[in-house]
Amino acid sequence: MSRFYITTAIDYANGDPHLGHAFEKIGADAIARYHRLIGDDVRFCMGMDEHGQKVAQTAAARGVEPQALVDELAARFRALWARLDISNTRWVRTTDAHHRRGVKAFIEQALERNPDDFYEKTYEGWYCVGCELFKRENEIADGRCVLHPTRDLQWTEERNWFFRLSRYQDFLRAHFDANPGFILPESRRNELLALLDSGLEDISITRARLSWAIPFPKATSDGETQGTWVWFDALPNYLTDAGYPDDESWREWWPAQLHVVGKDITRLHAIIWPAMLQSAGLPLPERVWGHGFVTLGGERFSKSSGVTLDLDEAIDRFGPDAFRYYLLREVPWDNDGGFSWERFAERYTSELANGLGNLASRSTSMIGKYRQGTVPASPLEVDLVITDAVARYRAAMDANLLHEGAAAAFEVVRHANAVVAERQPWSVAKDPSRADELDLTLAAMVRYLAAAATMLSPFMPAKTAELWARLGSGRDALPGLDELAALDVSGWTVQAGGILFPRPEVAAPA
């Protein structure tokens, strides 16, 4: 059994979860579930980023202590992930004692191995509290950060500890060249190659007068203990999630196979984080995937930009699984894509209610009516439609192209409905001499449903589990992908059950 360690960005604790957070976690969950489906031992880690100036300012504005604020927000995020059936195996908070020890140990390890990587310097520049980053000129438009256009930049002058990122420019370029799949999709790789070509600057990694932070383990020359820059605290969560430094089993899981992050923080994960790891003498993650943004009317969902959507309303519209499916089916996992209430309703009606739901209802109903609920025995042949769909599904999911994986899986549903329309089993059932023909069609319908339930399970875990139970296989676990094309379904005892996907007029009102 292969190990597969997947992480997401840890969410910043200064506001409620929004659609961008949900899109990332649902996508990462689909990847994790796919890897379980193919037999991998999966470690799936998420969490909360809870230190930094922005958190302290938000807490002060609300009149509460920072710890009270992050406790409240962590509970809200976890409640949402539970509602969306996110199957993470680990949850880290950067205020956890274990994580704080891990950050201290990581920095001390880097300081011991490469003391010249750290030096003091007086620095001045425009600081974006929203990003918790000093901004370059090309990252500023009209005097504001391009990612947080509603926030004022702060001119900051102070003496900090710096990390000699420039020292790792050649190392990173060589790593990118030797490992073309390290940062994907290709558009993100090209952006970071251009950044490397323009030259890396050393980065400030501590903040003076910041109490809401993990103390940097080395004092400045004048004896001041500064707060660790929030990103130098946050990025090691991928190590501490794996058990570093207390639990030696972290060595069995690290390096991670996949970091899933938004495209706006790929520089931190594919430039700064690898340099930090190299400084500490630790292996680099195998891959960083920078997904795009979900937009509404062309605008990115963001609390700071004022583009929001009520997540509860979106989930309530047709249920958590339909919401999961729509996002990953509609929005390319390697690019930006838009959310639309109209498209949501269209996808739900055509693909889930009239497509998969109708196929399940017709199949179980006819088997109940014509064969007393037992799937008849029929000649077992390899179904080439399923074979082709599984091959395309595997290729897409292995490449993290989730929208293509969902499309490949749904082709089985489309084909099955076309078969039913062509063969018209309700007419065949009227002629006893055609019993074998009817048996063949009914068994094929169940086989198509089993294939659809299996391939769509990473996208809609609850609904596909319900469908699988209705098929009455007697097996708790879904079949393997290699079984689907010639799956023996004879003798299964199907159950009709309720409507799997109620049509919009029956579903929750708009």
Side-chain angles (χ1 to χ4, degrees):
M1 179 182 290
S2 298
R3 285 193 171 94
F4 185 77
Y5 179 20
I6 177 174
T7 73
T8 68
I10 53 175
D11 299 313
Y12 201 57
N14 75 314
D16 289 334
H18 56 65
L19 187 62
H21 295 124
F23 177 60
E24 176 175 291
K25 273 54 181 184
I26 293 169
D29 183 64
I31 294 172
R33 289 179 182 274
Y34 167 71
H35 278 270
R36 294 189 188 104
L37 184 64
I38 62 175
D40 288 344
D41 184 11
V42 174
R43 189 182 189 106
F44 175 21
C45 298
M46 295 169 31
M48 296 290 290
D49 182 3
E50 299 182 342
H51 288 118
Q53 186 176 349
K54 187 163 51 173
V55 171
Q57 289 179 350
T58 302
R62 295 190 184 183
V64 299
E65 291 298 317
Q67 189 64 56
L69 172 67
V70 298
D71 287 347
E72 174 190 334
L73 288 172
R76 290 185 195 172
F77 273 81
R78 295 200 75 168
L80 176 63
W81 305 147
R83 188 176 186 205
L84 288 172
D85 211 359
I86 306 299
S87 63
N88 57 296
T89 57
R90 299 277 295 178
W91 174 265
V92 69
R93 297 177 60 183
T94 58
T95 53
D96 289 343
H98 166 74
H99 177 75
R100 293 171 67 91
R101 288 194 303 274
V103 170
K104 181 175 182 289
F106 176 81
I107 295 173
E108 289 175 340
Q109 186 169 331
L111 281 165
E112 182 178 354
R113 289 190 79 260
N114 288 291
D116 291 341
D117 282 356
F118 302 85
Y119 64 94
E120 291 181 66
K121 176 185 173 183
T122 300
Y123 187 79
E124 59 183 34
W126 289 110
Y127 189 75
C128 174
V129 175
C131 295
E132 300 274 8
L133 288 167
F134 284 100
K135 309 304 289 188
R136 297 182 175 193
E137 288 185 9
N138 63 0
E139 297 172 316
I140 299 173
D142 299 324
R144 294 179 181 242
C145 169
V146 295
L147 294 177
H148 296 91
T150 63
R151 288 180 175 269
D152 292 326
L153 293 171
Q154 298 180 0
W155 184 259
T156 302
E157 301 179 36
E158 60 185 35
R159 189 169 184 80
N160 301 141
W161 279 105
F162 273 67
F163 176 64
R164 207 178 299 274
L165 182 63
S166 58
R167 177 188 174 194
Y168 292 94
Q169 179 163 323
D170 291 343
F171 162 76
L172 289 167
R173 182 65 202 227
H175 186 74
F176 275 48
D177 290 344
N179 301 275
F182 173 65
I183 171 68
L184 289 173
E186 192 68 21
S187 56
R188 311 289 177 259
R189 171 180 163 80
N190 292 337
E191 290 168 4
L192 295 184
L193 285 172
L195 176 63
L196 287 172
D197 289 342
S198 69
L200 297 180
E201 298 178 358
D202 297 346
I203 54 173
S204 169
I205 59 168
T206 63
R207 298 290 179 266
R209 301 177 300 280
L210 177 61
S211 60
W212 187 243
I214 296 176
F216 194 74
K218 187 173 183 179
T220 60
S221 57
D222 59 3
E224 180 185 10
T225 298
Q226 297 192 341
T228 302
W229 173 47
V230 65
W231 281 104
F232 229 71
D233 157 6
L235 289 165
N237 93 88
Y238 307 121
L239 272 175
T240 61
D241 262 6
Y244 175 92
D246 301 335
D247 185 347
E248 279 298 307
S249 69
W250 72 268
R251 300 181 187 277
E252 300 174 11
W253 286 97
W254 188 259
Q257 277 64 56
L258 183 64
H259 288 330
V260 173
V261 299
K263 67 178 183 179
D264 54 330
I265 54 174
T266 52
R267 176 170 70 95
L268 291 143
H269 286 82
I271 298 290
I272 294 176
W273 176 227
M276 291 166 60
L277 288 164
Q278 181 70 4
S279 179
L282 295 172
L284 274 57
E286 293 181 14
R287 178 165 296 169
V288 178
W289 185 273
H291 64 79
F293 295 148
V294 185
T295 61
L296 181 66
E299 296 291 328
R300 174 193 174 193
F301 281 94
S302 166
K303 182 172 70 75
S304 61
S305 65
V307 181
T308 60
L309 176 140
D310 188 317
L311 273 177
D312 286 329
E313 180 185 4
I315 297 168
D316 288 341
R317 184 65 58 95
F318 301 117
D321 271 32
F323 177 68
R324 287 173 58 112
Y325 175 80
Y326 168 68
L327 278 184
L328 298 184
R329 180 80 162 89
E330 183 77 11
V331 181
W333 191 240
D334 58 346
N335 210 333
D336 296 344
F339 179 94
S340 157
W341 288 111
E342 294 76 16
R343 286 292 293 160
F344 191 6
E346 288 171 9
R347 287 276 189 201
Y348 178 83
T349 301
S350 64
E351 297 185 358
L352 298 184
N354 294 342
L356 180 58
N358 189 44
L359 177 65
S361 178
R362 297 164 92 185
S363 301
T364 55
S365 176
M366 284 191 284
I367 293 170
K369 181 177 182 179
Y370 304 133
R371 295 295 182 266
Q372 294 75 51
T374 300
V375 181
S378 63
L380 194 60
E381 298 178 353
V382 175
D383 190 299
L384 296 181
V385 170
I386 296 179
T387 299
D388 178 65
V390 168
R392 288 185 290 112
Y393 175 80
R394 277 188 181 275
M397 298 300 282
D398 287 341
N400 299 325
L401 299 176
L402 305 180
H403 55 297
E404 294 183 7
F410 206 81
E411 278 306 307
V412 173
V413 179
R414 291 189 194 281
H415 176 75
N417 278 314
V419 167
V420 173
E422 178 186 353
R423 297 184 184 178
Q424 298 186 2
W426 52 88
S427 296
V428 174
K430 297 175 183 178
D431 185 351
S433 68
R434 301 175 69 184
D436 289 347
E437 182 182 341
L438 178 61
D439 287 348
L440 188 66
T441 299
L442 295 177
M445 291 166 69
V446 173
R447 190 175 298 111
Y448 288 132
L449 283 169
T454 300
M455 288 192 283
L456 289 171
S457 62
F459 301 89
M460 298 186 290
K463 286 294 186 180
T464 53
E466 182 180 347
L467 173 57
W468 178 247
R470 290 187 189 184
L471 296 182
S473 69
R475 299 166 54 173
D476 291 332
L478 290 163
L481 294 174
D482 293 335
E483 296 180 67
L484 297 178
L487 187 64
D488 186 1
V489 299
S490 60
W492 291 13
T493 53
V494 303
Q495 299 176 9
I499 300 174
L500 197 61
F501 295 101
R503 288 184 172 82
E505 63 268 24
V506 182

